[in-house]
Amino acid sequence: MVTAHDDFAAVDTYLIDHLVHEDQALADTRLSSAETATPGIDVTANMGAFLALLVQMTGATRVLEFGTLAGYSSIWMARAMDDDGAVVTLDIDPAAAQVARRNFHAAGVAERIQLRIGPALESAHALIDEGTHPFDLVFIDADKANTPHYLEASLTLSHPGTVIVIDNVVRSGAVLEQDSADPDIQGIRTLMELIQADERLSATALQTVGLKGWDGFLLARVN
Ligand code: SAH
Ligand code: DHB
Ligand code: MG
């Protein structure tokens, strides 16, 4: 049996071709991640469409995102909202933020997206200190080592029913490496233990294969 990465990618492309409409602004945004320090690590088009469907299915009007990059996932989520919707997205990299802002304008969602530059944990704590309204949906997709801290801050910024999506929790199976020297892997493992022990959350995680290899995302609901 052949189960090479090429086959996963080919099927992903087939599914995207048939099911997901990526317009020019989104395609340009995806390509523009080449102008950032970490090209190509945005979500795939079918994951973007999944996030958009979640926004619509939950009726989210306030979305918080950790990790903007070129704004690809932000645009998918912002477009799934009405004009009264708001996405607050956090990124540490001013150069990426400049690319993202350009993309938000081109995609017609600049009014709906607030981009805060700085370490995401500081920005999240600033949101808490400002007494900002709770968010309906949170997408955590920044540096993986800090994911446990992002989850804690997200819980403070949540209400019962808030949906939390966390990207990249499988990492080609590296999540099983308990002695891993990689702080990203340890971050994901700590995250799993936090959620396991936290009665405020109902959660699951699904493995994915496709254009970005073998990974997975975690889906949680604040009770
Ligand atoms: N969600 C985006 C991809 C984000 S990539 C999409 O799917 O389109 C991860 C981003 O996290 C990068 O842009 C990087 O600059 C940012 N990042 C890394 N460390 C960070 C930190 N400590 N605080 C905030 N952002 C950080
Ligand atoms: C990396 C980060 C991501 O958010 C992702 O989806 C894939 C890879 C990375 O840091 O390598
Ligand atoms: Mg990711």
Side-chain angles (χ1 to χ4, degrees):
M1 189 168 71
V2 184
T3 52
H5 174 257
D6 283 355
D7 299 288
F8 298 147
V11 171
D12 232 7
T13 300
Y14 169 84
L15 296 174
I16 291 165
D17 280 351
H18 284 77
L19 306 176
V20 177
H21 177 63
E22 186 188 66
D23 72 354
Q24 197 59 49
L26 275 170
D28 290 345
T29 297
R30 194 161 42 69
L31 294 174
S32 76
S33 81
E35 298 169 47
T36 72
T38 52
I41 66 166
D42 16 32
V43 296
T44 57
N46 49 12
M47 185 67 182
F50 175 79
L51 291 170
L53 284 165
L54 269 186
V55 167
Q56 289 178 324
M57 288 169 174
T58 59
T61 62
R62 291 181 53 74
V63 168
L64 174 63
E65 176 176 69
F66 293 78
T68 314
L69 195 64
Y72 188 75
S73 51
S74 327
I75 292 170
W76 269 107
M77 294 190 286
R79 283 184 165 175
M81 307 170 107
D82 297 330
D83 278 339
D84 63 343
V87 175
V88 179
T89 184
L90 315 176
D91 206 286
I92 198 170
D93 181 357
Q98 202 177 340
V99 176
R101 286 209 168 103
R102 186 186 81 210
N103 290 325
F104 296 157
H105 281 283
V109 288
E111 263 90 87
R112 235 175 267 174
I113 304 179
Q114 184 191 125
L115 170 51
R116 292 191 175 209
I117 301 171
L121 196 56
E122 284 180 24
S123 299
H125 286 151
L127 288 168
I128 293 168
D129 293 344
E130 290 163 20
T132 193
H133 288 294
F135 292 91
D136 308 309
L137 189 143
V138 181
F139 180 46
I140 301 179
D141 189 26
D143 51 321
K144 312 308 168 189
N146 272 318
T147 301
H149 303 298
Y150 298 153
L151 176 68
E152 288 290 357
S154 298
L155 285 168
T156 307
L157 290 162
S158 292
H159 57 70
T162 294
V163 168
I164 301 177
V165 183
I166 307 177
D167 198 22
N168 312 116
V169 299
V170 173
R171 293 285 178 126
S172 302
V175 66
L176 294 185
E177 292 166 15
Q178 56 183 36
D179 300 323
S180 175
D182 183 343
D184 291 351
I185 299 304
Q186 292 303 341
I188 299 297
R189 291 180 61 85
T190 302
L191 169 81
M192 295 290 175
E193 276 156 30
L194 276 180
I195 296 177
Q196 181 178 37
D198 198 326
E199 287 174 2
R200 291 170 294 181
L201 288 166
S202 304
T204 188
L206 298 176
Q207 299 185 72
T208 53
V209 292
L211 285 164
K212 293 178 62 180
W214 174 26
D215 213 324
F217 64 90
L218 192 147
L219 182 66
R221 179 185 183 276
V222 180
N223 295 315

